[in-house]
Amino acid sequence: MDDQFDKDLKKRIREVFDNYEDDSADKGWALLRKKYPGKAKKYPIAWMWWSSAAAVLLLFLGILWFKQSPEKQQQHFTVIKKGSHNKQPVKTSGTTNDQNAVDNTAVQQPDHTLANATDHKTPVRLRVATTPNHVVTSSKDQGIFASNVRTKPAGKTPANSPIINDQNNHSPAANSSVNTTTLASAVKPTDTNPENPSNVAKPGTENLSVSKSNATAAAPGITLQQPDQLNKQLLANNKQDSKQKGLSKNNLVHFGIYAASYLNYAKGSSSRFNVGAGFSADINLTRKLKVSTGIAIAQNSLSYPGQPVFSTPAGINMAPLALYSASTLQYSVSEPSFRNYSANLVGIDIPVNLKYTFDPGKSETYLLAGLSSGTFIDETYTYSFSNSQAQSQSAHGGFYFAKMLNLAIGTGYRVGSNRLIIEPFLKYPLDGIGSQQIRFGSGGVNLKFSIPSQRR
Amino acid sequence: MRPPNRIAEDELIQQCKSGSLRYQELLYKQFYGYAMSVGLRYCIDRDDALEVVNDAFIKVFNSMKNYDTAKPFKAWLRTIIVNTAIDRRRKDFKLQLNTDLNGAEYLPAHTNVIDTLNAQDILNLMRELPAIQLAIFNLYEVDGYNHDEIGVILNIPASSSRVYLSRAKEKLRKMIKTETQNHG
């Protein structure tokens, strides 16, 4: 009896709940969404978070890299500059007559013989890092890394140091040029003058410096230098050449983009905050003087509360007011009074400025002055009256030429390989501009982001 | 027969596996009734059941990638709901484990009354049971678990499960008899 009851009850329960319908799914889903936002919403936030983190990291690494690389370049330059008294590249040709070049780079030992000098025309690059001793003569005009040259008593020279046999019986004077590869393996130190300890250098002396007398006596043109040093010197010389030549082609024009936030001002108008953006190009005239030009789009708005400024030379066109008054008088005994006048102008500004940089390459602080020309792509003048009516008028004032004086002072900060320039500026109107010849100016700050020239 | 506006279960599940919130919503709404039917049997009221169901669906969505499509989705969903409900009421079970198991009075059953019970009647009857008896009754009689499995789930001996089930049945019989007598 009970079993049957239980079976019937179980059957009934299953039957009822298998077919259970509930129409509150929407409410249930809404509740679930409070706990479960879903990946669709989470994903962009996560993406933004990670991309922001990546951007910050890249920026940080960029700054780090940028801070380090100029130092390295500067170090290279400094080292080379110490060694090379002349600003000319290393000349390896045996035909050179430049005494300085010989002094700095040419190595010739009267006691040394360089074997296997088969190619007399090949410039020499001598790898001598493994040589235990180099016989050098002291000189008051030592070559590259001359300060590193340390003398060593001749007695410490290994007695069994291999002596390079001059198989060709080349005298030093005749040894004008040596094949690099053969030299790298063939040159071994020989101390043939043990009575002259000052002529012996330590193995660490990587560079072979030469006395003037030896260099003079040497055959012209044997230049022995480590490849690294040579490369450094070449690099430095290239840079120096660039400097000497002045500004390279890449540095002739610098481009930048900028955003401006400023207040428009005019006589009788309340100041209005506006923004603009533009593209700039700085053309180098000299190292410190540039012509700065570009193009910008800028919003300008002015608001004249109360009575319009009739006396303003750049007078507001009151024709709409007159028309309005005439028409409304037909219907109204009391003429509505003028309440507000506003002008909104979206302009294209083309400045031509002279830019004087005080300390180029350092803080890049500069002073800028010039004139702006331009036009307005949209001019809207709105007249408001006391009865809450307003009348708008659109116009186009044509192109104006050099009617705005630009004054600015700016300073730059390095941001990675780029430069962020903060440039407070003032635009002073020299005459009325726009279709209603309003004389207005602006003052604010440009945030300029210079686009770096392509590096070579 | 499946309503024509319903999306195929396989497609729903595949889309949910890819994390589509839209299809998760569709899946939720398609199985909401079934999920509530399970949740309501284990919970003390509708709000409680809804929370259980939602928590279970969140587990489903989060674990969907691991779901074996070879197995029926309903069974998987039911298991998750049951486990969620049991976990939620586990503290109630502990309180009632030590309560005196009063023997239910034997009453003759009226099987014809059973056929008239609707979902709400059954739920009302079930909610008169102590939580652990309710859980064991549902697990054993409706959802098909055996006493060993119930013992593992509820962390009680299988023998205790049998006793609680017996008490639950007796109590239900008594309640149905009482209801029958009251209504004539």
Side-chain angles (χ1 to χ4, degrees):
Chain A
M1 186 77 175
D2 287 346
D3 288 344
Q4 186 58 43
F5 179 86
D6 291 343
K7 282 181 183 175
D8 289 343
L9 182 61
K10 184 167 72 177
K11 182 185 171 189
R12 180 62 186 167
I13 291 171
R14 284 184 173 175
E15 192 178 277
V16 166
F17 285 100
D18 282 350
N19 298 315
Y20 182 82
E21 292 291 335
D22 198 309
D23 57 357
S24 63
D26 292 336
K27 181 191 166 192
W29 177 251
L31 282 171
L32 181 137
R33 287 302 307 279
K34 289 178 182 175
K35 289 183 181 177
Y36 184 74
K39 290 179 181 176
K41 283 192 174 178
K42 278 183 179 175
Y43 186 72
I45 294 168
W47 183 85
M48 284 173 67
W49 166 253
W50 284 111
S51 54
S52 301
V56 169
L57 185 65
L58 282 174
L59 186 65
F60 176 74
L61 290 174
I63 291 168
L64 206 65
W65 172 82
F66 193 83
K67 280 187 173 180
Q68 286 181 352
S69 65
E71 286 172 5
K72 286 179 182 175
Q73 289 171 5
Q74 188 67 28
Q75 283 172 0
H76 292 170
F77 176 72
T78 308
V79 168
I80 297 301
K81 198 174 180 182
K82 281 179 185 173
S84 60
H85 292 212
N86 59 342
K87 295 180 178 179
Q88 294 178 4
V90 176
K91 293 183 179 179
T92 57
S93 167
T95 58
T96 179
N97 291 324
D98 190 329
Q99 185 61 48
N100 285 332
V102 173
D103 287 344
N104 290 331
T105 60
V107 174
Q108 184 62 43
Q109 292 292 333
D111 297 329
H112 281 184
T113 56
L114 302 176
N116 200 16
T118 54
D119 186 1
H120 294 258
K121 293 179 181 178
T122 307
V124 176
R125 291 186 181 182
L126 178 59
R127 185 180 299 276
V128 292
T130 57
T131 57
N133 286 305
H134 295 290
V135 177
V136 295
T137 56
S138 61
S139 170
K140 60 183 178 182
D141 187 9
Q142 290 179 326
I144 300 167
F145 299 116
S147 60
N148 290 333
V149 174
R150 288 176 290 179
T151 58
K152 187 180 177 183
K156 292 187 178 180
T157 306
N160 57 353
S161 296
I163 298 172
I164 300 170
N165 294 323
D166 185 3
Q167 297 174 352
N168 295 328
N169 265 338
H170 282 179
S171 67
N175 241 352
S176 60
S177 180
V178 186
N179 185 297
T180 304
T181 54
T182 55
L183 261 178
S185 59
V187 171
K188 296 289 180 182
T190 57
D191 183 12
T192 57
N193 189 7
E195 295 174 3
N196 187 8
S198 64
N199 284 351
V200 181
K202 268 186 147 184
T205 308
E206 294 179 342
N207 192 35
L208 299 176
S209 61
V210 180
S211 71
K212 270 191 176 180
S213 58
N214 283 341
T216 311
I222 294 185
T223 57
L224 303 175
Q225 261 195 318
Q226 285 198 349
D228 289 346
Q229 292 169 356
L230 189 61
N231 290 339
K232 286 175 184 176
Q233 189 167 4
L234 286 169
L235 181 66
N237 286 331
N238 283 339
K239 287 191 172 187
Q240 286 176 321
D241 284 347
S242 300
K243 275 197 166 185
Q244 284 177 338
K245 286 174 188 173
L247 301 156
S248 68
K249 196 175 181 180
N250 275 341
N251 294 329
L252 187 61
V253 183
H254 292 276
F255 297 101
I257 53 173
Y258 63 91
S261 55
Y262 51 87
L263 289 171
N264 283 118
Y265 67 92
K267 186 178 179 182
S269 167
S270 56
S271 296
R272 301 287 291 271
F273 179 80
N274 284 298
V275 293
F279 174 84
S280 70
D282 292 354
I283 304 161
N284 289 325
L285 297 177
T286 67
R287 193 160 171 261
K288 290 189 173 183
L289 197 63
K290 297 171 184 173
V291 171
S292 181
T293 184
I295 189 165
I297 184 166
Q299 169 80 33
N300 298 283
S301 58
L302 301 162
S303 178
Y304 295 86
Q307 292 296 318
V309 187
F310 289 104
S311 58
T312 307
I316 300 163
N317 184 2
M318 296 305 294
L321 177 60
L323 288 171
Y324 180 84
S325 301
S327 60
T328 51
L329 274 173
Q330 297 174 9
Y331 307 104
S332 169
V333 176
S334 63
E335 181 182 343
S337 61
F338 184 86
R339 194 177 64 182
N340 185 277
Y341 167 79
S342 63
N344 286 294
L345 304 97
V346 179
I348 299 288
D349 183 55
I350 304 169
V352 179
N353 302 313
L354 277 176
K355 184 175 176 180
Y356 180 82
T357 307
F358 295 106
D359 48 352
K362 292 180 182 176
S363 67
E364 291 284 352
T365 304
Y366 61 83
L367 195 64
L368 181 144
L371 296 168
S372 273
S373 306
T375 186
F376 293 102
I377 56 177
D378 182 35
E379 295 181 53
T380 305
Y381 304 93
T382 305
Y383 307 84
S384 300
F385 299 93
S386 57
N387 59 355
S388 300
Q389 291 192 35
Q391 185 175 349
S392 293
Q393 179 188 4
S394 294
H396 185 70
F399 188 82
Y400 65 89
F401 180 73
K403 288 187 176 180
M404 190 74 79
L405 175 67
N406 301 321
L407 294 169
I409 184 166
T411 187
Y413 302 94
R414 286 201 179 279
V415 179
S417 59
N418 303 317
R419 187 178 289 275
L420 177 67
I421 297 163
I422 299 172
E423 185 186 82
F425 71 92
L426 176 71
K427 283 179 174 288
Y428 182 77
L430 301 176
D431 202 350
I433 52 178
S435 64
Q436 298 202 8
Q437 293 294 295
I438 304 174
R439 189 170 167 171
F440 68 91
S442 59
V445 178
N446 285 331
L447 282 179
K448 193 176 288 187
F449 199 69
S450 70
I451 302 167
S453 301
Q454 190 178 1
R455 290 186 176 184
R456 287 186 178 176
Chain B
M1 184 176 176
R2 198 180 65 203
N5 60 341
R6 288 199 167 190
I7 300 172
E9 188 177 309
D10 292 346
E11 185 187 351
L12 269 177
I13 289 165
Q14 287 303 323
Q15 293 292 341
C16 288
K17 273 178 177 282
S18 66
S20 166
L21 188 65
R22 169 70 184 145
Y23 278 88
Q24 285 173 350
E25 182 180 357
L26 290 172
L27 183 82
Y28 177 90
K29 290 180 177 176
Q30 191 152 314
F31 288 95
Y32 176 78
Y34 176 76
M36 283 299 286
S37 75
V38 178
L40 282 168
R41 286 191 281 112
Y42 285 88
C43 296
I44 51 174
D45 57 27
R46 186 178 180 80
D47 291 341
D48 192 34
L50 183 55
E51 282 198 36
V52 164
V53 165
N54 280 355
D55 287 348
F57 266 108
I58 290 170
K59 289 176 185 173
V60 165
F61 295 148
N62 289 333
S63 314
M64 188 62 91
K65 286 181 180 175
N66 303 322
Y67 166 62
D68 181 5
T69 50
K71 295 175 181 173
F73 176 74
K74 264 191 173 181
W76 185 53
L77 176 63
R78 185 181 62 192
T79 303
I80 292 174
I81 295 168
V82 168
N83 289 339
T84 307
I86 296 290
D87 285 342
R88 190 180 179 86
R89 300 210 66 186
R90 200 173 288 280
K91 61 178 186 296
D92 299 334
F93 302 152
K94 284 178 182 173
L95 286 172
Q96 291 170 0
L97 278 172
N98 297 323
T99 57
D100 184 24
L101 291 173
N102 295 319
E105 184 186 351
Y106 174 76
L107 291 169
H110 298 266
T111 54
N112 57 335
V113 179
I114 293 172
D115 293 338
T116 63
L117 294 173
N118 60 25
Q120 193 57 51
D121 295 333
I122 294 167
L123 290 175
N124 289 339
L125 288 170
M126 284 182 170
R127 283 166 189 165
E128 292 296 321
L129 295 173
I132 192 159
Q133 291 182 24
L134 172 67
I136 291 170
F137 179 83
N138 274 311
L139 287 168
Y140 187 88
E141 294 291 347
V142 185
D143 293 318
Y145 290 82
N146 61 40
H147 287 295
D148 291 333
E149 291 169 333
I150 293 169
V152 171
I153 292 170
L154 300 179
N155 198 24
I156 58 170
S159 57
S160 295
S161 175
R162 288 188 185 92
V163 172
Y164 283 119
L165 177 64
S166 174
R167 302 299 180 194
K169 284 179 180 177
E170 287 173 11
K171 198 161 188 176
L172 283 172
R173 278 186 226 120
K174 184 180 176 182
M175 284 188 292
I176 291 168
K177 170 69 177 171
T178 306
E179 286 295 314
T180 307
Q181 287 174 344
N182 288 342
H183 294 91

